[in-house]
Amino acid sequence: MSKRKVAEHFGIDESTLRKRLKKGTGVSALGRFKCILNKEQEMELAQHCNLLSGMFYGLTLSFLRSIAFKYVPLNKINHPFNNETQMAGVDWAINFLKRKNLSLRLPQKTSVARIMGFNRVQCDSFFNNLAEFQGKYKFSPTQIYNMDEIRITTVPNKAPKIVTTKGKRAVWKVSSTERGQLVTAVCCMNAAGNYVPSALIFSRKREKEELMNGAPPGSVMFISDSGYINCELFVKWLRHFQNHVGATTNKPVLLILDNHTSHITLDNVQYCRENGIHLLSLPPHSSHKMQPLDRCSFKSLKDFYSTYCDQWMMSNPGRVITQFQVAQLFGKAYLKNSRAEKAVKAFEVCSIVPMDRLKLGEENFLPSEVTDQGSISPSASRDDIGSHNEQQPPQPSTSGVSKASKTDVQERECSPCGSSENRQRTQYSPSEIIPVPKVEFKRKRMGKGKKSTVLTSTPHKTALEVERNSKVNVANRKLTFKTGTKEKKEKSKKPESSEKTIMRILPQKI
């Protein structure tokens, strides 16, 4: 900024500012308060915090304070931190977050399966299949669909915020029951912003027309014992989908879905092949990044449904929400949520329409590097891996700081003289105190791994036929084995001799 703008900004005289700058008597320090770490050290610590957060192993505030306490004596920096708690002060931590544009956030729980499943190899496989489809059929946005199931209950999981007295310790809100009844909604939309009428799956034995009162127009009702979708219901939903889409072999459509077992059956594949519906499965455990409905639709749909449930409870005091009110409440939320621009944006965010595999940057695949085992040979044992790690810098376990790093830090703190190598070092990085997490041994896969596949392709159809035939053969073998054992048992039973029968009958006659 110019001197004039600086003087106007701070409300001081410009001549006074010029005189001070000319004499060199400006302010050099803010009184007795001084930063413990310099700018380079704070930047290095902030970058390491961002790296761990991007790998889904972010630091808590107390963990950050303990790392700062260990970091300062290693670099021979004078500090006012408390030696009893072995942690930096809370004020220092909060001011550090403000200076480096960091904040405390409540994270979403992410399973190890999602971390391992969403990687560059799986995503490239999906985009290769999608590019092959586009090169062969040249699908327009009106021909590319995405379907998924959403779980709704009579008791929403999240209660809305209410107005109450400030400082009150416990706040309560009425709900229908402690645990609600499950209803599954099957939703589908295309990349042009069109929606297929939903399907509602109730956990019941019999159908009732009253269950669909107030449901979205064109919706259908299914019944299952558990309330979830199964193989038979998915075939019924495919017929419902075909009635509204009108796909043919001359004008096919592409349906993108997940790898649920109900979607991968021989009956589904045969029906889709006959009606011009091409099925493409997403990479396993990647719906939080690759599923358009999950990315842009289901979160707001649940919020709208919770709002309408709360309004219904306020309008009907003393009553509870049952399965007969779910369709009405879901219908209002579904109609409010189903907007064309939201569907178009969902496919764009997932890099499906338009297809752009480079839109998913490398920062999205950082968590998968924790369990990346490309550098570990399949035949390597834990002892071999341990000896290999001894030659390299110590790698931590995924649960926290490794034992090697802890002992190194303790030795450096206890022995200031140390070895010649430690005396020569004057700067230690935060990555030596809390290293980047990395798996220490090769995980054994319990089952056959899944990947993005074309479910309606001929090789996949053949594999399903072979799997069905093998199951039928195994069932026949078990049946023949059971019948054979029964026949052997019947043959092994010998009839009683005539003497024994006479001796058994004579006392009765006497």
Side-chain angles (χ1 to χ4, degrees):
M1 297 172 65
S2 64
K3 298 180 182 64
R4 181 178 297 175
K5 288 186 177 181
V6 171
E8 292 177 356
H9 179 74
F10 289 100
I12 59 177
D13 190 23
E14 183 182 354
S15 60
T16 304
L17 177 62
R18 290 180 182 276
K19 183 173 62 175
R20 293 276 182 162
L21 291 173
K22 188 176 182 179
K23 290 183 178 181
T25 58
V27 178
S28 59
L30 299 175
R32 63 185 180 87
F33 297 102
K34 296 181 181 179
C35 290
I36 299 172
L37 305 179
N38 56 35
K39 293 183 179 180
E40 291 77 11
Q41 292 170 341
E42 285 193 348
M43 182 60 67
E44 188 179 15
L45 182 58
Q47 290 176 354
H48 194 63
C49 291
N50 286 328
L51 177 62
L52 294 175
S53 175
M55 302 183 77
F56 295 178
Y57 286 89
L59 302 177
T60 60
L61 188 64
S62 59
F63 209 166
L64 174 63
R65 292 167 58 195
S66 63
I67 291 171
F69 181 85
K70 296 176 183 177
Y71 177 77
V72 168
L74 289 177
N75 293 282
K76 299 179 180 179
I77 302 173
N78 296 326
H79 64 88
F81 297 153
N82 192 344
N83 293 322
E84 294 181 359
T85 59
Q86 300 285 310
M87 296 173 69
V90 178
D91 294 338
W92 176 89
I94 294 175
N95 292 326
F96 169 75
L97 298 180
K98 290 180 179 179
R99 288 193 297 270
K100 297 305 172 185
N101 196 23
L102 301 174
S103 63
L104 289 174
R105 300 284 301 275
L106 184 64
Q108 296 182 3
K109 296 180 181 179
T110 307
S111 63
V112 178
R114 288 188 182 273
I115 293 176
M116 294 178 62
F118 185 69
N119 54 61
R120 174 61 73 181
V121 177
Q122 292 282 8
C123 290
D124 286 344
S125 175
F126 169 76
F127 284 114
N128 291 336
N129 293 330
L130 183 60
E132 185 179 354
F133 268 122
Q134 288 287 35
K136 186 175 181 181
Y137 297 101
K138 301 188 183 303
F139 290 117
S140 63
T142 57
Q143 295 175 284
I144 300 177
Y145 289 83
N146 173 235
M147 70 82 57
D148 196 13
E149 300 89 5
I150 181 174
R151 180 178 178 271
I152 56 177
T153 60
T154 55
V155 179
N157 296 328
K158 187 177 180 181
K161 293 183 178 180
I162 62 173
V163 180
T164 185
T165 306
K166 188 176 181 180
K168 194 174 181 179
R169 297 189 63 180
V171 182
W172 308 95
K173 181 68 175 178
V174 66
S175 64
S176 297
T177 55
E178 297 295 333
R179 295 181 60 184
Q181 295 176 309
L182 172 66
V183 178
T184 302
V186 185
C187 303
C188 183
M189 64 182 183
N190 66 4
N194 300 321
Y195 289 81
V196 176
S198 60
L200 298 178
I201 304 175
F202 294 92
S203 175
R204 296 176 61 88
K205 293 292 185 181
R206 298 177 182 178
E207 296 183 359
K208 284 190 175 182
E209 296 181 358
E210 295 84 357
L211 291 170
M212 296 299 289
N213 290 339
S219 299
V220 293
M221 175 177 55
F222 297 142
I223 299 297
S224 71
D225 294 336
S226 61
Y228 291 102
I229 194 169
N230 52 37
C231 302
E232 298 177 357
L233 295 182
F234 186 68
V235 176
K236 294 181 180 179
W237 182 87
L238 284 174
R239 296 193 183 98
H240 168 71
F241 174 77
Q242 173 64 13
N243 293 334
H244 289 84
V245 173
T248 60
T249 54
N250 296 328
K251 191 178 180 181
V253 297
L254 176 63
L255 182 60
I256 300 173
L257 67 173
D258 54 26
N259 279 299
H260 194 263
T261 53
S262 62
H263 305 159
I264 311 172
T265 59
L266 185 59
D267 296 335
N268 302 338
V269 172
Q270 289 176 348
Y271 180 83
C272 291
R273 286 169 65 94
E274 294 172 358
N275 293 274
I277 302 173
H278 296 279
L279 301 179
L280 176 60
S281 64
L282 291 165
H285 307 290
S286 64
S287 59
H288 63 296
K289 291 285 187 179
M290 303 290 293
Q291 185 88 270
L293 283 166
D294 272 350
R295 288 295 301 272
C296 299
S297 182
F298 281 171
K299 174 63 171 60
S300 56
L301 179 60
K302 285 185 176 181
D303 292 340
F304 290 142
Y305 177 75
S306 300
T307 302
Y308 285 117
C309 286
D310 181 65
Q311 292 179 2
W312 192 93
M313 292 295 298
M314 295 291 292
S315 303
N316 300 273
R319 295 182 60 187
V320 297
I321 298 175
T322 62
Q323 289 183 344
F324 293 93
Q325 286 81 35
V326 169
Q328 178 184 359
L329 299 173
F330 174 78
K332 294 180 180 179
Y334 184 80
L335 294 177
K336 187 175 182 179
N337 184 69
S338 301
R339 294 184 289 126
E341 58 269 17
K342 183 176 291 187
V344 174
K345 189 65 177 179
F347 281 87
E348 181 181 351
V349 168
C350 297
S351 305
I352 297 177
V353 179
M355 190 183 70
D356 185 11
R357 67 178 71 195
L358 299 178
K359 192 174 182 179
L360 294 172
E362 293 299 329
E363 65 276 3
N364 293 306
F365 304 105
L366 272 178
S368 63
E369 294 182 2
V370 178
T371 55
D372 186 13
Q373 301 169 358
S375 60
I376 303 176
S377 60
S379 60
S381 61
R382 292 196 180 188
D383 298 334
D384 298 336
I385 296 168
S387 62
H388 176 70
N389 287 339
E390 289 175 1
Q391 300 174 1
Q392 297 179 353
Q395 299 293 335
S397 63
T398 56
S399 60
V401 184
S402 64
K403 295 181 180 178
S405 62
K406 287 182 178 179
T407 54
D408 292 344
V409 172
Q410 292 174 359
E411 289 177 359
R412 291 167 188 164
E413 291 178 352
C414 297
S415 59
C417 296
S419 61
S420 60
E421 182 182 355
N422 290 335
R423 285 199 301 270
Q424 292 175 1
R425 295 192 60 183
T426 58
Q427 183 69 25
Y428 292 87
S429 64
S431 59
E432 295 180 88
I433 302 174
I434 172 68
V436 176
K438 186 68 177 178
V439 68
E440 294 181 347
F441 58 92
K442 186 173 179 62
R443 294 169 59 96
K444 291 184 179 180
R445 188 179 293 276
M446 301 303 294
K448 187 177 179 181
K450 295 181 180 180
K451 61 180 182 179
S452 175
T453 56
V454 181
L455 302 179
T456 50
S457 61
T458 303
H460 186 76
K461 176 177 173 293
T462 305
L464 292 176
E465 290 176 348
V466 172
E467 184 180 359
R468 172 180 283 189
N469 294 333
S470 63
K471 289 182 179 180
V472 171
N473 294 334
V474 170
N476 292 334
R477 290 174 187 172
K478 289 182 179 179
L479 183 61
T480 54
F481 178 76
K482 289 181 179 180
T483 54
T485 52
K486 286 182 179 180
E487 292 178 356
K488 289 181 180 179
K489 288 181 180 179
E490 291 177 356
K491 289 181 180 180
S492 61
K493 291 181 180 179
K494 296 180 180 180
E496 294 181 350
S497 60
S498 58
E499 295 180 356
K500 291 182 178 181
T501 54
I502 292 170
M503 296 296 295
R504 187 164 47 85
I505 295 172
L506 281 175
Q508 296 177 359
K509 289 185 177 182
I510 293 171

